Every structure is written in structure tokens, then in C-alpha cells.
Amino acid sequence: MNKPAGNDAKRAVSEALAIHGYTNDALYFWNPSISDSEWMKQLEVIKIIGGHHFAI
């Protein structure tokens, strides 16, 4: 969380922003293969792009 975004994360955000409404107002995104946050697992995932989950 306190580290700069990696290339995979930046690409996922760029893809999501490139298509209007693609993530349906997602407020959060993360890659569950590298994040072990229990808090994030409680969020409602509304879209998956590559390895990133977008949630509200």
C-alpha cells in the first residue's frame, strides 16, 4: 500500500480508464496474488482486469 504502483497496476488502471464505465465506479483495486490484506477480501469485486480486482 505504501509502495509506488508497479507497471502491471498502472496498465490495469489505464485499461480501465480507456473504456468509459468499464469499472463501474470502482473505488479500489489490487492484485490478490501479491496482496494478503484481509480488508480487501471483504470488498465487493465488480470487475477483474488481468490480475487486478476492482471493487466498491
Side-chain angles (χ1 to χ4, degrees):
M1 187 80 177
N2 295 323
K3 297 179 184 178
N7 289 337
D8 192 35
K10 290 177 184 178
R11 186 175 63 245
V13 171
S14 293
E15 288 178 19
L17 293 174
I19 302 171
H20 179 66
Y22 197 62
T23 58
N24 300 320
D25 300 322
L27 297 175
Y28 310 98
F29 75 96
W30 71 97
N31 186 328
S33 69
I34 58 174
S35 173
D36 59 1
S37 171
E38 291 298 320
W39 177 81
M40 290 180 183
K41 294 176 184 176
Q42 304 300 317
L43 298 173
E44 179 185 349
V45 175
I46 57 173
K47 195 68 165 179
I48 298 173
I49 301 173
H52 286 81
H53 290 199
F54 290 78
I56 54 174

